[in-house]
Amino acid sequence: AMAAAGPWAERKDCVSAAGFVQACAQGGDLIVMRAPIRTAAFFAEELRSAARLVSLPSPLLRSLGGGVWHLLPAAAAAEDAAAAAAEDASSIDTDTVAAGTMVKEANAAAARTRLYCLLSSLAGVRMCMSLIAAAADSRALLSKLRSQPPVRHAPQWSLHYEQHYPAADHIQLPFSPVSVAPALAIRLHALVGDGFVDDLGSDLRDIDRASAVSHRQRSECDAFVLLELKHVLLFCRRQQPSSAAAQRERTACGAPQTAQAEPVASMRAATPSTGAATEEDATSCTASATMATQGALRAVPWWVPLWERRPFDFSACLDPFVATAAVNIAASAHLRLHKRTSVPPVPLRVFDPCCGSGTILAAAAALGHTALGADLRAEFVSRVPSNLELLGLQVAQLAVQDATGPFLPLLLSDEQRPDVVVCNPPWGKNFGLDDDGARIVLSVIRQCSGATMLFLVNATALEAAIQLSGVTLLHHARLGGVEAMLLRTDRVP
């Protein structure tokens, strides 16, 4: 639980160029994370939490380093099961082994489908792509593509290029040479064929441009991606948004009224009600293109560009990506602890006792949860609703409340008692004394015991919280100088 993040959260999992290419030979999909140094470990935990929630077999998701994760095909789980059975073949008949292998593959396929449905709600995920080819250099990549050209699904195609490592030559900083890209792009054009168009809506942070690009235009264009990592080149096909996600992108500037219900509704439609996989689930996971229609990805969560234009703001506001990841991590942990993994994620009551301008509340409401908030400053409490109204969202309960004192009955009634607490309490030289955050954390834990809690605090608060009886530290990561701690709380004296 006390795993501290290095410069890259997944550095210990980095593989050599040969190992990278060999790993990618199994096919599957690549998940590209937002991996700035400060938040890499936190976003990685958000992805792992989602994978655990849907019971994805752990060997199917692995880090390749630098914010790139490999999601293996469901067949890989079956291969592991078959290999394990082969070691004990003397005691198990062949038919039993075959049946067990098929069940494991079907369950893995269903878990993969459910994970895809969650990816679009994860703040740390930038792109998800079907892996076409991987090679150590451009010559090897072109050779692979000549022997097995990429299958075209649309009359047009685009190419998005990204370089995922810093310049090695310090004389050229802050520039980074891309000498491989031009020649490789020209040769790729010859291989893929006619129909090249500009990369449609690749930067969805530009809401106006993204809204102008219709879902039909995207569906009629194969969006290829070329990633240049330090030791390997990856050629992939970017997953396209589903029609529901595309509609939300087009209407984002108008603050959609149905934004809260959509993530939950999409999960209900795509997730089986039991842990066992159905035939339909396994079939839907056969091809990455089918899964892509169920799990749409955007460059940023739909509400973030609008949130940047909210009427009430102040200097200590939490980053909306971190807020979204915090809510996702805490909600996933709560559902797993209460053994609710075999049903679609249901709306939880998410409480922020130090809500400020309402960033955590907005993240929770945008994800489909019921948002409950409080703050010591009456001015903040009075202005939070207007911020969420900009998004077409609302807060179920708001109160002026000192988080270090006894909570008002309306915040702890049976109807409003929180399932999850997510909080970034004030502490430090700019917002009081160093131990102020600890006093808030201890007060909230004692009064909201039974909830799953995630706090963004300093080391003083972290040490104070884990000393309490009835508190279990589930996960810990560092975000720069901030400690992110995920807690399970039972009855705390």
Side-chain angles (χ1 to χ4, degrees):
M2 298 293 291
W8 290 99
E10 311 92 350
R11 183 170 295 279
K12 63 178 181 288
D13 297 325
C14 288
V15 295
S16 64
F20 205 128
V21 173
Q22 183 178 2
C24 292
Q26 294 178 268
D29 302 277
L30 294 182
I31 299 171
V32 180
M33 306 293 291
R34 304 180 201 281
I37 293 175
R38 180 174 176 270
T39 56
F42 200 55
F43 288 153
E45 176 58 20
E46 182 190 28
L47 176 61
R48 286 192 293 260
S49 295
R52 289 192 290 265
L53 179 64
V54 300
S55 302
L56 184 80
S58 56
L60 292 191
L61 182 67
R62 58 190 178 188
S63 169
L64 297 177
V68 179
W69 291 71
H70 188 197
L71 180 60
L72 277 71
E79 292 171 3
D80 290 342
E87 297 178 359
D88 196 20
S90 59
S91 60
I92 305 176
D93 63 85
T94 305
D95 291 340
T96 302
V97 171
T101 300
M102 291 178 62
V103 170
K104 284 188 176 293
E105 182 172 357
N107 287 338
R112 237 172 155 265
T113 296
R114 296 195 295 270
L115 179 62
Y116 261 82
C117 293
L118 289 178
L119 287 181
S120 62
S121 66
L122 303 187
V125 174
R126 284 188 56 243
M127 280 191 295
C128 187
M129 303 169 293
S130 301
L131 181 61
I132 297 175
D137 54 48
S138 58
R139 181 175 298 179
L141 180 67
L142 290 168
S143 176
K144 286 187 176 183
L145 293 176
R146 287 192 189 98
S147 62
Q148 191 171 0
V151 177
R152 294 280 298 275
H153 299 311
Q156 296 180 320
W157 63 279
S158 64
L159 180 65
H160 179 74
Y161 170 84
E162 287 191 3
Q163 188 180 42
H164 280 237
Y165 64 92
D169 187 351
H170 288 206
I171 298 176
Q172 296 191 36
L173 289 178
F175 304 103
S176 181
V178 290
S179 55
V180 171
L184 182 54
I186 292 171
R187 288 176 171 81
L188 283 173
H189 183 279
L191 280 171
V192 178
D194 295 334
F196 174 78
V197 295
D198 287 340
D199 189 12
L200 297 176
S202 61
D203 187 0
L204 295 182
R205 288 170 296 184
D206 184 347
I207 290 296
D208 294 333
R209 183 172 183 234
S211 300
V213 179
S214 71
H215 176 64
R216 180 179 177 183
Q217 284 178 283
R218 293 179 193 168
S219 63
E220 293 179 351
C221 179
D222 280 319
F224 295 115
V225 179
L226 180 62
L227 296 184
E228 182 183 351
L229 279 68
K230 190 170 184 179
H231 299 300
V232 69
L233 287 165
L234 302 168
F235 188 65
C236 312
R237 189 192 312 272
R238 188 168 57 216
Q239 310 289 27
Q240 298 296 345
S242 68
S243 57
Q247 175 64 24
R248 189 162 68 181
E249 287 168 12
R250 290 195 297 271
T251 59
C253 292
Q257 299 300 316
T258 59
Q260 282 182 277
E262 183 185 323
V264 177
S266 64
M267 282 299 299
R268 288 199 180 103
T271 310
S273 57
T274 64
T278 64
E279 182 179 353
E280 181 181 356
D281 296 320
T283 303
S284 66
C285 285
T286 303
S288 296
T290 304
M291 292 189 297
T293 63
Q294 300 177 9
L297 300 182
R298 297 171 295 282
V300 296
W302 67 268
W303 63 278
V304 171
L306 291 169
W307 189 249
E308 293 174 353
R309 302 198 292 269
R310 64 192 183 277
F312 170 50
D313 193 4
F314 69 105
S315 60
C317 290
L318 186 64
D319 178 84
F321 291 98
V322 173
T324 301
V327 173
N328 279 327
I329 291 171
S332 295
H334 183 83
L335 292 170
R336 289 185 68 244
L337 288 171
H338 290 79
K339 303 185 184 304
R340 298 165 72 179
T341 59
S342 60
V343 297
V346 295
L348 301 174
R349 293 184 296 275
V350 179
F351 177 43
D352 180 4
C354 304
C355 65
S357 67
T359 304
I360 291 174
L361 301 181
L367 290 168
H369 301 296
T370 300
L372 313 170
D375 201 281
L376 176 63
R377 292 151 291 193
E379 178 191 2
F380 285 16
V381 171
S382 66
R383 300 180 70 178
V384 165
S386 62
N387 281 354
L388 271 74
E389 286 171 4
L390 179 68
L391 309 177
L393 304 173
Q394 61 183 358
V395 183
Q397 190 64 256
L398 271 175
V400 179
Q401 172 70 60
D402 181 356
T404 62
F407 283 173
L408 297 173
L410 61 87
L411 292 175
L412 296 179
S413 64
D414 291 340
E415 297 79 12
Q416 300 292 350
R417 191 169 187 85
D419 302 304
V420 169
V421 174
V422 180
C423 183
N424 177 34
W427 53 269
K429 63 181 181 180
N430 294 328
F431 299 96
L433 302 176
D434 191 52
D435 64 348
D436 282 352
R439 294 194 300 120
I440 292 173
V441 167
L442 296 179
S443 173
V444 173
I445 290 175
R446 290 190 175 100
Q447 297 186 74
C448 299
S449 59
T452 305
M453 305 185 185
L454 191 147
F455 293 99
L456 303 173
V457 291
N458 60 1
T460 302
L462 170 64
E463 294 171 3
I466 62 178
Q467 297 301 319
L468 287 177
S469 61
V471 172
T472 304
L473 180 64
L474 300 177
H475 183 75
H476 165 254
R478 291 192 176 94
L479 286 81
V482 178
E483 312 289 341
M485 60 175 179
L486 177 66
L487 306 176
R488 174 180 179 174
T489 63
D490 300 315
R491 291 191 64 86
V492 178

